[in-house]
Amino acid sequence: MGRSGRWHYVSPQIRHLLGYEPEEWMANPGLWYESIHPDEREHALSFECEEWIGEDAVPPAEYRMRTKDGRYVWVLEQARLVPDEEGGPTLWHGVMQDITELKRAQSELAAKADQQALTARLGEAATRIGDQDELIRIAIDGLMELEGVIEAEIWERDGDKLHLRRRSNREGPPITVDFEPDRYPGAEIARGETIHVADWDSDERMAPYKKYRTPAVMSTMIVPIAGTRKQFGFLTVSSSVANRFSEEDEDFLRAATSLIGSAIERARIEKSLRHRLLHDPLTELPNRELFGKRLDEAIGESRATGRMIGALFLDIDHFKLINDGIGHHVGDETLREVGRRLLAAMRPGDTVGRFGGDEFGIVLRAIDSADQAGAIADRLIEILAEPIQVESSEIVISASIGVAVFGLESGRGRTATSLLREADAAMHKAKAMGRAQIHLFDEPLRNSALGRLETERGLRSAIEAGELVVHYQPFVSLPRNRIIGFEALVRWNHPERGMLQPAEFVPVAEESGLINQIDTWILAEAIRQTAVWHAMVPSDQPFSVSVNASARQLSRPNLPELVSELLESHDLPPQRIALEITETTLISAVSTAHGVLESLDAIGVSLALDDFGMGFSSLSYLSRFPLDVIKIDRTFIDQLNGGDHKGEAIADAIIQIGKALGMTVVAEGVSNPVQLRMVSELGCRVVQGYLIGAPTPAEEAGELLAESLARRAAQSGAGA
């Protein structure tokens, strides 16, 4: 026993175990203890105690021993302490076995188990965590738990630069290194190859990077992190032992970087998607949703600090002229430049957003007064007045800005939505004042806005409550004054305000989006009523009911399908229905209108261009779209009161154009006998207006139709 115990006998197998001859091992009593690895000496000596004397179940001991040539091997010692019967020293009787390969296999199994556990952890984190920084942290922390790893890093490649994203064990300033794809190791990394630095001290190829190495690092494995489209960067793991990493380690690290790369790419895609969902694709400014959140945050800060905030609603004046007159690509670049100028003019913390079209919003955080908000708006108008150079065109624009402010005294009950609505109302007031103007939301505007809000609330239930009704204004064929159709016109039979005209609620419906529901209801009701009248009218007599189509309707590709279904459900021939479209409507929905109108024409529905002559491109629309009817705008009919030769000339020109193109021409707004006589003399054969008949409920319109049919029958009988 003891660290310097004398060996009585050792078998020749010690040559294979430790490289010593039995004689030289026995000659040095301290050689056993000196050969034990310093880390295991205390463990080996723990068995050198008298409590084990005579025991059969002495536990085996495992420890490393240095061989004669300096290597270390693992040995398993199994022995008993046996006392001498004659009182001599207690001796160890047993064997020592080389279990180096067994320990290596166990270590490899443990390492693989750790690697598999880390791979599973990374896989789980990759599917659960959308933050790439958090995922990188988990990967680095997990790698540091592996045996022999003293450092792990992830580097991100950005063109010709490498940025250290995360390093274990050490905090420090950001590190950026040049990436050189034409020399080692950059070329290999760019090709997706793994780099194995077996010994930093002897690998001269890594000399330029030694200044970034932790001194204790002796060997490193560098594994690229690839995505499906491009390389993210690379992962490094390092050890204090030279030549530490094997092919098995490379396989594991490649699997780990594959998970990391996929997760990083997915996180970036999700981040990009979130960005696209919250930002305008043309200007990259916050969209309405994100702008609303920023405005809501500013209101919260105002409530907490007592500082006022401002909301600006900006609209570019006559922007449609740029799109239609010069081109949408010029319009798009103009909007980008407007966004850049607004952004450059803002203070830190303010927000500029684009709502779509030519509308922008601005959140002014922490202002001192409404006057300050107005001064900022004034400066923006000046900035936007500077000419904008787009290709070879110099664009000069102006803007109208509405201003609303929020403070503790005026903020009770107000929200981001209501504040933005106030700024919008102020902007429309600024436009009404002559454009390139600023208007602050005030009490009269507040009362008007409240009225519009009340109208919107009432409209939401008006259809279900049966408050919306359709009145029908007749078309008459000259010279026999026969009704050949009606125009369907919506009215709101308000329970408190009485019968409301479209101008009193349709603009509110368009702003709120309720117009879609109202348009669909009017179309369905008009087709239903027309089917009733269809049974009264002889099949050989021209007769149709026209329904006004809004820009929103023409923007819906399924409009022809809806019309077909309604016609089929009421067994109504398509020729009995016409859709009226104003030129303004065509301009608003020109991108989708052509296809929709072609489909409606294919069904057999008649198409009429209303308010003809009032727009910029009416003549071009006559050739572009499959139109059957043109209606002379009432503005020109009003001029037919005798003596106005210009008005007469214009009306005559429109009638001749219609005849030349084989179209039916309708004079709308005929209100006195002089106008009726003059349009008749000019050759217009279909008229509409209060002189002919005012819009009336369906029951009264049916009676007018019945009377007209009776007159026709009587005339036919008299003629016979």
Side-chain angles (χ1 to χ4, degrees):
M1 290 180 64
R3 58 187 292 179
S4 298
R6 185 166 60 86
W7 287 70
H8 286 250
Y9 171 79
V10 59
S11 68
Q13 279 75 16
I14 196 169
R15 299 190 192 102
H16 305 292
L17 182 65
L18 298 174
Y20 292 96
E21 292 296 327
E23 293 78 12
E24 45 181 338
W25 186 263
M26 294 173 62
N28 184 355
L31 189 54
W32 170 74
Y33 181 77
E34 293 169 3
S35 299
I36 298 173
H37 192 286
D39 292 346
E40 275 105 44
R41 285 175 181 170
E42 185 176 344
H43 170 67
L45 283 178
S46 68
F47 295 90
E48 301 288 312
C49 56
E50 293 184 356
E51 66 178 271
W52 298 112
I53 296 175
E55 295 288 337
D56 290 334
V58 178
E62 294 179 3
Y63 49 85
R64 283 173 290 178
M65 294 193 72
R66 187 179 66 248
T67 63
K68 188 175 182 179
D69 61 5
R71 295 177 298 108
Y72 277 98
V73 295
W74 278 96
V75 299
L76 172 65
E77 177 190 290
Q78 292 176 297
R80 294 176 59 229
L81 275 170
V82 181
D84 188 273
E85 294 180 355
E86 299 179 358
T90 300
L91 302 178
W92 281 104
H93 287 246
V95 296
M96 299 174 72
Q97 294 175 277
D98 184 346
I99 60 168
T100 302
E101 290 303 318
L102 175 63
K103 295 295 285 187
R104 181 178 292 115
Q106 290 175 341
S107 178
E108 289 177 357
L109 285 173
K112 286 183 179 179
D114 289 343
Q115 291 173 357
Q116 289 172 352
L118 177 56
T119 302
R121 206 153 75 236
L122 281 175
E124 190 273 335
T127 58
R128 177 175 50 85
I129 298 174
D131 182 357
Q132 64 182 29
D133 291 328
E134 177 65 10
L135 183 73
I136 288 172
R137 182 194 67 76
I138 290 174
I140 291 295
D141 292 349
L143 289 167
M144 288 301 297
E145 295 175 6
L146 301 180
E147 184 180 357
V149 175
I150 65 167
E151 186 172 82
E153 301 170 331
I154 286 183
W155 291 77
E156 180 179 3
R157 179 183 171 187
D158 181 14
D160 60 352
K161 297 293 182 183
L162 294 173
H163 306 288
L164 180 62
R165 284 294 301 270
R166 191 171 186 90
R167 169 180 283 173
S168 61
N169 301 336
R170 190 165 53 156
E171 296 292 335
I175 299 176
T176 298
V177 181
D178 290 334
F179 181 75
E180 301 175 277
D182 55 348
R183 57 180 293 183
Y184 185 89
E188 285 73 12
I189 292 172
R191 291 197 299 267
E193 299 175 9
T194 299
I195 307 297
H196 187 191
V197 184
D199 188 340
W200 275 86
D201 291 338
S202 60
D203 193 337
E204 292 302 320
R205 297 175 301 177
M206 299 298 292
Y209 305 100
K210 287 183 179 179
K211 59 185 175 182
Y212 304 111
R213 176 189 63 149
T214 301
V217 168
M218 290 301 295
S219 63
T220 298
M221 185 165 279
I222 306 172
V223 186
I225 302 174
T228 56
R229 289 192 292 269
K230 69 174 185 176
Q231 196 178 78
F232 171 77
F234 56 83
L235 163 73
T236 73
V237 289
S238 300
S239 173
S240 59
V241 179
N243 205 22
R244 155 67 179 79
F245 300 102
S246 64
E247 291 184 4
E248 289 78 9
D249 293 319
E250 180 181 347
D251 292 341
F252 156 67
L253 291 174
R254 278 199 168 275
T257 54
S258 177
L259 285 171
I260 295 169
S262 297
I264 288 174
E265 190 167 60
R266 184 167 58 255
R268 286 183 168 183
I269 290 172
E270 290 175 356
K271 182 178 180 181
S272 175
L273 179 60
R274 287 195 299 272
H275 179 85
R276 289 200 300 271
L277 289 174
L278 295 174
H279 289 79
D280 167 53
L282 182 65
T283 63
E284 290 297 315
L285 294 173
N287 61 14
R288 184 181 288 271
E289 181 180 352
L290 181 55
F291 182 88
K293 291 179 180 178
R294 299 274 178 85
L295 182 55
D296 200 48
E297 291 169 2
I299 288 175
E301 292 175 6
S302 176
R303 295 188 194 279
T305 63
R307 297 289 302 274
M308 293 178 66
I309 65 164
L312 309 185
F313 199 113
L314 182 149
D315 184 271
I316 301 173
D317 299 327
H318 301 299
F319 181 74
K320 189 176 291 293
L321 296 179
I322 298 175
N323 269 341
D324 296 343
I326 307 177
H328 285 276
H329 67 291
V330 175
D332 288 348
E333 186 52 44
T334 301
L335 291 172
R336 291 190 191 98
E337 178 60 22
V338 168
R340 287 190 286 266
R341 292 187 183 186
L342 294 177
L343 203 57
M346 289 301 99
R347 308 165 305 165
D350 292 343
T351 297
V352 178
R354 180 180 177 231
F355 302 148
D358 55 354
E359 296 178 340
F360 294 81
I362 298 162
V363 178
L364 301 176
R365 271 187 160 99
I367 57 175
D368 297 324
S369 64
D371 289 341
Q372 184 183 2
I376 293 173
D378 273 328
R379 184 157 52 89
L380 294 180
I381 284 184
E382 292 176 5
I383 291 170
L384 295 180
E386 294 288 332
I388 298 173
Q389 192 69 34
V390 181
E391 298 176 355
S392 59
S393 301
E394 187 174 79
I395 310 299
V396 178
I397 64 170
S398 65
S400 300
I401 302 178
V403 181
V405 296
F406 178 98
L408 287 181
E409 295 180 359
S410 61
R412 186 171 300 168
R414 296 165 76 197
T415 64
T417 301
S418 63
L419 188 64
L420 191 58
R421 187 184 291 119
E422 292 171 3
D424 184 14
M427 182 273 294
H428 281 91
K429 181 67 174 179
K431 280 191 177 294
M433 292 163 55
R435 304 181 189 268
Q437 300 287 328
I438 296 165
H439 191 78
L440 177 67
F441 186 80
D442 52 18
E443 196 61 32
L445 266 181
R446 185 182 304 280
N447 294 335
S448 174
L450 289 174
R452 294 174 74 87
L453 184 60
E454 188 62 35
T455 299
E456 180 182 333
R457 287 174 182 161
L459 270 176
R460 293 191 179 279
S461 60
I463 296 177
E464 293 182 6
E467 295 171 8
L468 291 185
V469 295
V470 178
H471 284 190
Y472 297 88
Q473 186 173 26
F475 295 102
V476 169
S477 173
L478 300 177
R480 296 190 176 183
N481 200 31
R482 295 175 182 170
I483 294 177
I484 60 171
F486 294 99
E487 180 179 0
L489 300 166
V490 68
R491 300 289 187 266
W492 182 5
N493 190 11
H494 196 282
E496 298 173 1
R497 298 164 60 189
M499 193 67 71
L500 301 183
Q501 299 295 311
E504 297 178 80
F505 62 90
V506 168
V508 176
E510 290 175 342
E511 289 179 12
S512 64
L514 290 171
I515 194 66
N516 286 331
Q517 188 178 359
I518 293 174
D519 283 341
T520 301
W521 178 82
I522 295 170
L523 181 64
E525 177 61 20
I527 289 177
R528 184 199 65 77
Q529 182 60 55
T530 305
V532 174
W533 290 330
H534 171 62
M536 299 168 52
V537 180
S539 59
D540 62 343
Q541 180 174 332
F543 177 82
S544 65
V545 172
S546 64
V547 182
N548 292 289
S550 69
R552 287 181 182 267
Q553 275 185 306
L554 289 185
S555 298
R556 294 162 58 188
N558 67 337
L559 177 61
E561 181 181 353
L562 173 63
V563 172
S564 292
E565 290 176 356
L566 289 171
L567 291 171
E568 185 177 350
S569 66
H570 293 285
D571 195 23
L572 182 67
Q575 295 77 15
R576 296 300 198 190
I577 288 294
L579 289 185
E580 290 192 12
I581 308 104
T582 65
E583 184 185 4
T584 303
T585 298
L586 282 180
I587 293 173
S588 301
V590 71
S591 59
T592 56
H594 194 276
V596 170
L597 294 182
E598 289 281 1
S599 298
L600 289 168
D601 181 60
I603 293 170
V605 172
S606 296
L607 300 172
L609 183 61
D610 197 8
D611 299 339
F612 182 78
M614 293 302 294
F616 297 102
S617 307
S618 294
L619 289 175
S620 68
Y621 287 158
L622 294 182
S623 61
R624 287 178 62 187
F625 297 102
L627 300 169
D628 305 292
V629 179
I630 53 176
K631 299 181 72 175
I632 306 172
D633 186 74
R634 67 184 66 246
T635 303
F636 303 115
I637 303 301
D638 287 343
Q639 297 173 10
L640 300 180
N641 288 311
D644 190 338
H645 299 296
K646 289 183 180 180
E648 181 179 345
I650 293 174
D652 183 37
I654 294 173
I655 292 168
Q656 299 310 316
I657 289 171
K659 287 182 177 180
L661 294 175
M663 296 180 176
T664 299
V665 181
V666 178
E668 63 175 344
V670 175
S671 58
N672 60 58
V674 173
Q675 294 171 351
L676 179 63
R677 176 180 57 79
M678 292 188 71
V679 295
S680 177
E681 291 174 354
L682 291 172
C684 183
R685 293 293 174 260
V686 181
V687 295
Q688 179 188 18
Y690 275 79
L691 178 66
I692 309 301
T696 60
E699 184 178 351
E700 295 179 23
E703 293 173 357
L704 291 175
L705 178 60
E707 292 174 6
S708 178
L709 292 172
R711 282 198 305 271
R712 182 190 182 208
Q715 292 169 355
S716 298

